[in-house]
Amino acid sequence: CTPADGTICVWSMNTWECERVLEGHGEWDEVDEGTVHHETPVFTLSIDTQRRKLVSGSADRSLRVWNLDSGECEKVLEGHKENVWATALDA
């Protein structure tokens, strides 16, 4: 998994292994057993460790809010006119 292909790896700080791959940014090219495959780079990530959320921004002009425990995308924020280059969270 790489940000260039639009995926996000969630790494274990204990085992140094990828625990989960988050997929969802990009063009809806192909759906294979419920997994969306895409080729749109992810440019930015922000993590809220207390709420266990991750926010990602991509060349698909969207922000996505992820649940780090389940790996599910909880919300998609669309409408940006350009790539999303930066994210920030307020405690």
Side-chain angles (χ1 to χ4, degrees):
C1 99
T2 93
D5 69 5
T7 60
I8 302 164
C9 291
V10 178
W11 294 89
S12 166
M13 299 305 286
N14 296 321
T15 65
W16 298 102
E17 295 179 5
C18 182
E19 292 182 337
R20 177 175 287 118
V21 177
L22 307 178
E23 300 180 87
H25 279 288
E27 301 300 322
W28 294 72
D29 295 330
E30 173 186 345
V31 176
D32 178 27
E33 296 181 21
T35 301
V36 177
H37 299 275
H38 47 79
E39 299 177 2
T40 302
V42 174
F43 294 130
T44 181
L45 301 172
S46 293
I47 298 173
D48 182 333
T49 56
Q50 290 184 333
R51 293 186 193 111
R52 303 282 303 149
K53 305 287 183 201
L54 180 142
V55 177
S56 59
S58 170
D60 68 2
R61 302 176 182 176
S62 74
L63 288 164
R64 294 180 189 264
V65 179
W66 303 90
N67 180 311
L68 288 173
D69 294 322
S70 70
E72 297 295 317
C73 178
E74 294 183 342
K75 185 170 284 226
V76 179
L77 305 168
E78 298 177 301
H80 293 82
K81 295 184 181 176
E82 298 294 332
N83 298 339
V84 179
W85 292 101
T87 56
L89 298 174
D90 184 13

